[in-house]
């Protein structure tokens, strides 16, 4: 089954404690991205990756890092989480850039930073 | 990237057609119109997309005006499970273009029994 898998689904952590949210897709997609969703602000793109070792900033990259060492994985790293990073996070993947293809989204990770 | 404008909310009676409008007056020739929906904090789900011709699939129909400045998503027989936020997005195509997806606030559709 084609899917994008995020882990964990829920996470409560303390300010400053490094964390990683994993994202994996089984569709051999080139393009992957991370979004955060906050009430009244909609979905905002954090980072995206067009292929292995190719990443770029989205609209709200501050406080986040990503890596793309393998095609299937695109982890989101918060080196020093702060309460303003409390949000619902989604990972997405699609076949490639510039193609009229749909994006597949993970089920989300609800992060709370206290 | 072209921006989109959608009404913030709509109601639809169960079993009736839901017609969700979207304005994208600054759309350029190589940009596709996509529709996604999000049911209560789940991951957004792809519905349909098109360039300039009308499109239909098992979920919905997409009507794009001839000048491509607006479109309408049609759910032919809305059910309670169609209650969701619907996002209209324009995405560039063409090899080498950056596939940055911009989500607006969308339309919150409530299907009423």
């Amino acid at each position: 089954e084609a899917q994008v898998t995020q882990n964990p689904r829920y996470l409560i952590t303390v300010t400053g404690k490094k964390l990683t949210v994993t994202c994996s897709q089984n569709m051999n997609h080139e393009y992957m991205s991370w979004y955060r969703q906050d009430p009244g602000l909609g979905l905002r793109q954090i980072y995206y990756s067009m292929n292995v070792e190719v990443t770029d900033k989205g609209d709200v990259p501050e406080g986040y890092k990503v890596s793309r060492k393998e095609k299937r994985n695109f982890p989101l790293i918060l080196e020093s989480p702060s309460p303003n990073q409390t949000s619902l996070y989604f990972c997405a993947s699609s076949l490639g850039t510039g193609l009229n293809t749909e994006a597949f989204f993970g089920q989300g990770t609800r992060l709370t930073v206290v | 990237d072209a921006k989109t404008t959608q009404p913030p909310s709509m109601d639809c009676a169960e079993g009736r057609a839901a017609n969700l409008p979207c304005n994208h007056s600054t759309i350029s020739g190589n940009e596709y119109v996509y529709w996604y929906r999000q049911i209560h904090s789940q991951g957004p789900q792809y519905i349909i997309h098109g360039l300039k011709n009308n499109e239909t699939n098992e979920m919905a129909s997409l009507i794009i005006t001839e000048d491509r400045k607006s479109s309408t998503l049609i759910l032919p027989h809305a059910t309670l499970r169609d209650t969701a936020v619907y996002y209209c997005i324009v995405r560039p195509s063409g090899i080498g273009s950056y596939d940055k997806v911009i989500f607006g606030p969308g339309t919150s559709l409530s299907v009423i029994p």
Side-chain angles (χ1 to χ4, degrees), chain B:
Chain B
D1 295 340
K3 291 189 168 37
T4 62
T5 305
Q6 299 176 252
S9 64
M10 292 181 63
D11 292 337
C12 177
E14 188 178 18
R16 304 295 295 269
N19 297 291
L20 292 90
C22 179
N23 286 321
H24 31 80
S25 58
T26 59
I27 193 170
S28 60
N30 68 344
E31 288 182 317
Y32 282 75
V33 180
Y34 278 76
W35 284 84
Y36 287 79
R37 72 180 182 184
Q38 187 176 23
I39 298 172
H40 189 55
S41 297
Q42 296 179 20
Q45 176 191 24
Y46 165 82
I47 302 172
I48 198 168
H49 73 280
L51 183 62
K52 53 185 175 182
N53 297 321
N54 298 337
E55 302 288 345
T56 296
N57 63 19
E58 64 278 5
M59 289 182 68
S61 295
L62 174 61
I63 308 298
I64 303 174
T65 58
E66 193 168 341
D67 63 8
R68 301 206 331 119
K69 293 185 177 182
S70 66
S71 60
T72 301
L73 178 75
I74 301 172
L75 308 177
H77 305 287
T79 70
L80 299 179
R81 287 174 294 183
D82 291 322
T83 292
V85 178
Y86 287 78
Y87 298 99
C88 170
I89 299 160
V90 291
R91 294 173 67 184
S93 69
I95 301 300
S97 65
Y98 286 92
D99 205 2
K100 183 175 176 178
V101 181
I102 300 173
F103 283 83
T107 295
S108 178
L109 175 69
S110 297
V111 179
I112 301 166

Side-chain angles (χ1 to χ4, degrees), chain A residues 31 35 37 42-43 45 48 50 56-59 88 90 94 96-103 105-107 110, chain B residues 32 34 36 38 41-46 49 87 91-105:
Chain A
Y31 183 82
Y35 295 84
Q37 186 171 32
L43 280 151
Q45 193 177 54
Y48 63 97
M50 295 167 63
D56 206 349
K57 297 177 181 178
D59 296 316
L88 178 58
F90 291 104
S94 61
T97 61
L99 301 175
N100 56 332
T101 59
E102 65 188 275
F105 284 80
Q107 285 305 297
R110 189 169 291 279
Chain B
Y32 282 75
Y34 278 76
Y36 287 79
Q38 187 176 23
S41 297
Q42 296 179 20
Q45 176 191 24
Y46 165 82
H49 73 280
Y87 298 99
R91 294 173 67 184
S93 69
I95 301 300
S97 65
Y98 286 92
D99 205 2
K100 183 175 176 178
V101 181
I102 300 173
F103 283 83

Side-chain angles (χ1 to χ4, degrees), chain A residues 13-53:
Chain A
T13 191
V14 296
T15 299
K17 185 177 181 181
K18 180 180 178 180
L19 67 91
T20 299
V21 184
T22 63
C23 175
S24 179
Q25 49 93 4
N26 63 358
M27 296 165 280
N28 201 35
H29 284 171
E30 293 179 348
Y31 183 82
M32 298 185 73
S33 58
W34 276 101
Y35 295 84
R36 62 177 287 173
Q37 186 171 32
D38 304 288
L41 296 176
L43 280 151
R44 295 178 293 169
Q45 193 177 54
I46 303 170
Y47 268 95
Y48 63 97
S49 169
M50 295 167 63
N51 213 324
V52 175
E53 303 291 0

